[in-house]
Amino acid sequence: MTALPVLILGARSDMGLAIAHAFAAAGHPIQLAARGSAGLETARTDLALRHGVEVTLHDFDVLDRDGFDGFLGGLPNLPEVAVSVVGYMGEQAENEQDLAQAALVMRTNYEGPAGILALLANRFEARGSGTLVGVSSVAGDRGRATNYVYGSAKAGFIAFLSGLRNRLAKKGVHVVTVLPGFVNTAMTEGLDLPEKLTAEPSEVGAAVLKAVQKGRNVIYVRRIWWLVMAIIRNIPEAVFKKLKL
């Protein structure tokens, strides 16, 4: 029986490609989905040659809600695993002043990913199998002054994934929530990030693959982030609002 592929939504990102490599190395065919997917031809060739699996390219725009059904209908087959790694942080100062920019951040990090996973969930439920993976962020664990627009969208996505996991628990479909923490990607280029808290994209790829194989529910890519966020979540509000976080 031919193995069903793994769909990567947001395949142009460093984390998306790293996740694709992790699953391809484990023998899974890969579907790479992103805007302007033809630009991923080099990545497609590299994945196929390096791991000996079939890799296909598909145009996908997370902001084009009306195009979701057509996108899924155009896939050569329904994937066994679908991973949403779509994300856009923007600049907090701009997000505070420009409602259109804030809406773009919210739609990119919550509305779009939740919408496409909702459609995939219905298809997986009808089939009775599959795994959905949502890559969110520790920023969704508590709103902070420095990134609360982005964090609020990620928080919404975390709640959506939690509810979806509960709904599908007895339907043969599993849902994994991934909280990466800092990751050394193009999005964080130039930022002074602490080494112990900063993962490489390959770590994210390996963590997502392991979470799917082990049936994990919620994972922090570097375990230390669980402790960090547990502390941050439990700081009293009266103290928290005095901190520069």
Side-chain angles (χ1 to χ4, degrees):
M1 181 177 177
T2 303
L4 292 174
V6 175
L7 170 64
I8 309 294
L9 301 160
R12 191 176 300 284
S13 68
D14 294 328
M15 284 196 288
L17 286 175
I19 293 167
H21 273 283
F23 278 95
H28 294 274
I30 301 294
Q31 297 170 342
L32 298 177
R35 284 186 291 186
S37 64
L40 288 169
E41 181 58 34
T42 299
R44 188 200 68 78
T45 302
D46 181 43
L47 276 161
L49 291 177
R50 189 179 304 190
H51 305 295
V53 298
E54 181 182 14
V55 183
T56 55
L57 302 180
H58 308 277
D59 277 319
F60 171 70
D61 183 350
V62 77
L63 299 176
D64 181 19
R65 182 179 57 191
D66 293 338
F68 287 176
D69 277 314
F71 161 72
L72 293 177
L75 295 176
N77 41 29
L78 188 64
E80 182 61 28
V81 179
V83 183
S84 173
V85 69
V86 177
Y88 172 62
M89 185 179 296
E91 296 292 337
Q92 174 62 24
E94 185 178 6
N95 297 340
E96 293 171 11
Q97 302 299 323
D98 186 338
L99 290 183
Q101 185 64 22
L104 176 62
V105 172
M106 294 174 185
R107 292 186 62 206
T108 304
N109 292 289
Y110 174 57
E111 181 187 282
I116 189 65
L117 291 189
L119 294 181
L120 281 160
N122 294 340
R123 287 162 171 76
F124 283 13
E125 182 180 15
R127 184 179 61 191
S129 68
T131 300
L132 298 164
V133 181
V135 178
S136 187
S137 169
V138 297
D141 275 358
R142 187 168 189 180
R144 297 186 293 118
T146 52
N147 70 350
Y148 64 83
V149 175
Y150 171 78
S152 68
K154 290 297 190 183
F157 191 41
I158 291 170
F160 176 86
L161 294 168
S162 176
L164 192 62
R165 178 164 45 248
N166 183 258
R167 170 194 147 194
L168 298 173
K170 296 181 180 178
K171 304 291 185 179
V173 182
H174 187 57
V175 179
V176 182
T177 303
V178 180
L179 304 172
F182 298 142
V183 182
N184 187 20
T185 66
M187 183 184 290
T188 60
E189 187 175 3
L191 300 180
D192 184 19
L193 302 178
E195 185 176 342
K196 288 186 177 181
L197 295 177
T198 306
E200 293 299 321
S202 59
E203 292 180 63
V204 180
V208 171
L209 174 64
K210 184 177 180 180
V212 171
Q213 292 174 333
K214 299 290 186 182
R216 301 275 168 73
N217 295 316
V218 181
I219 65 163
Y220 291 83
V221 171
R222 286 201 172 184
R223 186 66 179 167
I224 190 172
W225 273 106
W226 177 88
L227 177 61
V228 170
M229 297 315 300
I231 293 171
I232 289 177
R233 283 195 304 271
N234 285 286
I235 296 174
E237 194 69 23
V239 176
F240 194 70
K241 65 185 183 182
K242 297 177 182 177
L243 302 176
K244 294 182 179 179
L245 293 175

